[in-house]
């Protein structure tokens, strides 16, 4: 598989996954034009995209959806509980297929939907397996549960939210109190702290590659997230650079992974 995060964070989320027989996107939170441009960096044309898997209806995950999917006739997948909130935000005719909590196959991909706690009716993370390789993408969740972690275990690569540093968020004078409470709540966003705890669990089950994702530009920095989480893991005897590798996703395209 070839995997590349093309944008991450509240300005737009877009991840590209390519297997032998399928080219898909997880979310399309950039405009159609910007998505086209970023796909060209991977030498992929928009009409080669077979399907788009949507996590939830927040704009940073579906901004380019209706223009892109109607223009290129791409198939759109969304959890049945997220269907109505999603279609309420689009006007054009788009080919949408719903799924439930069960695993399903799409071309040579096996898709494991993972429901996560976020302030919407349904937010779905994904584990995707092709040819024995498993990648997982989990962002926009207030907290992890043992069930979520169990689903993520044995992934070869995990994109996991490291949204904010709690101290930085609490001290941010530009954020109103209700917004801080929303982000910090069990249905908000994952902190660096919770991210580190989750990585420690997954590392103990063999995952070696992590990408810190959906970082806040106001309440976190790539350097802070990387250093804080690496330090927390060192305290648990997991060494970044030796036992595991951590990269940080941002608003610009990053590493291309090949599994
Ligand atoms: Zn988001
Ligand atoms: Zn969201």
């Amino acid at each position: 598989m070839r995997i590349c995060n093309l944008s991450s964070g509240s300005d737009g989320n877009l991840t590209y996954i390519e297997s032998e027989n399928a080219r898909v996107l997880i979310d399309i939170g950039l405009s159609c034009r910007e998505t086209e441009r970023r796909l060209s960096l991977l030498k992929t044309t928009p009409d080669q995209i077979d399907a788009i898997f949507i996590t939830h209806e927040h704009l940073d995950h579906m901004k380019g959806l209706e223009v892109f999917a109607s223009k290129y006739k791409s198939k759109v997948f969304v959890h049945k509980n997220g269907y109505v909130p999603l279609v309420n935000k689009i006007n054009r005719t788009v080919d949408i297929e719903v799924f439930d909590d069960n695993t399903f196959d799409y071309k040579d991909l096996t898709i494991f939907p993972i429901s996560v706690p976020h302030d919407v009716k349904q937010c779905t993370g994904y584990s995707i397996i092709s040819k024995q390789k498993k990648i997982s993408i989990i962002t926009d969740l207030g907290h992890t549960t043992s069930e979520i972690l169990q689903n993520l275990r044995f992934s070869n690569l995990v994109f996991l939210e490291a949204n904010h540093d709690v101290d930085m968020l609490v001290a941010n004078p530009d954020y109103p109190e209700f917004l801080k409470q929303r982000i910090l709540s069990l249905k908000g966003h994952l902190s660096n702290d919770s991210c580190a705890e989750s990585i420690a669990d997954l590392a103990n089950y063999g995952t070696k590659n992590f990408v810190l994702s959906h970082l806040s530009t106001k309440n976190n920095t790539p350097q802070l997230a990387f250093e804080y989480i690496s330090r927390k893991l060192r305290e648990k005897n997991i060494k970044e650079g030796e036992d595991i590798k951590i990269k940080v996703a941002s608003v610009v395209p990053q590493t291309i992974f090949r599994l």
Side-chain angles (χ1 to χ4, degrees), residues 28-217:
I28 178 162
L30 300 176
S31 70
C32 178
R33 183 172 300 181
E34 190 56 26
T35 302
E36 293 165 351
R37 196 185 72 76
R38 297 202 183 193
L39 286 173
S40 72
L41 303 174
L42 299 170
K43 309 254 180 293
T44 296
T45 56
D47 54 6
Q48 289 177 307
I49 298 297
D50 301 299
I52 304 167
F53 294 84
I54 297 293
T55 59
H56 64 301
E57 74 275 15
H58 282 159
L59 196 63
D60 56 320
H61 297 263
M62 50 74 72
K63 185 177 170 190
L65 177 67
E66 84 173 296
V67 176
F68 188 98
S70 57
K71 187 171 172 187
Y72 296 109
K73 312 268 180 275
S74 14
K75 196 166 194 68
V76 176
F77 286 92
V78 68
H79 190 283
K80 63 179 179 152
N81 296 339
Y83 175 78
V84 171
L86 185 70
V87 293
N88 280 345
K89 290 195 172 176
I90 55 184
N91 296 310
R92 301 181 198 205
T93 306
V94 172
D95 178 12
I96 302 180
E97 191 166 319
V98 296
F99 54 82
D100 57 20
D101 295 332
N102 294 312
T103 302
F104 61 99
D105 289 332
Y106 176 73
K107 294 183 180 261
D108 60 347
L109 305 175
T110 301
I111 317 287
F112 293 80
I114 304 169
S115 293
V116 298
H118 191 46
D119 57 352
V120 287
K121 190 162 179 231
Q122 172 70 34
C123 184
T124 311
Y126 293 97
S127 284
I128 298 180
I129 294 182
S130 185
K131 291 208 166 150
Q132 322 278 325
K133 300 292 183 191
K134 176 177 179 180
I135 73 121
S136 300
I137 298 181
I138 301 284
T139 67
D140 298 68
L141 70 169
H143 67 291
T144 47
T145 62
S146 53
E147 196 186 337
I148 291 172
L149 290 174
Q150 268 174 31
N151 280 305
L152 299 179
R153 281 175 189 163
F154 310 112
S155 295
N156 299 86
L157 170 65
V158 175
F159 293 82
L160 182 63
E161 175 162 46
N163 180 261
H164 57 275
D165 174 82
V166 173
D167 293 340
M168 216 169 146
L169 172 63
V170 170
N172 189 336
D174 301 328
Y175 269 48
E177 194 53 34
F178 81 89
L179 191 54
K180 290 180 184 178
Q181 290 311 322
R182 185 182 91 72
I183 295 168
L184 290 167
S185 81
L186 290 173
K187 291 187 157 199
H189 287 277
L190 209 63
S191 66
N192 290 345
D193 243 322
S194 308
C195 180
E197 290 291 327
S198 306
I199 289 178
D201 179 278
L202 298 174
N204 287 331
Y205 284 87
T207 299
K208 296 205 179 309
N209 290 293
F210 296 90
V211 182
L212 310 183
S213 303
H214 212 295
L215 268 70
S216 166
T217 52

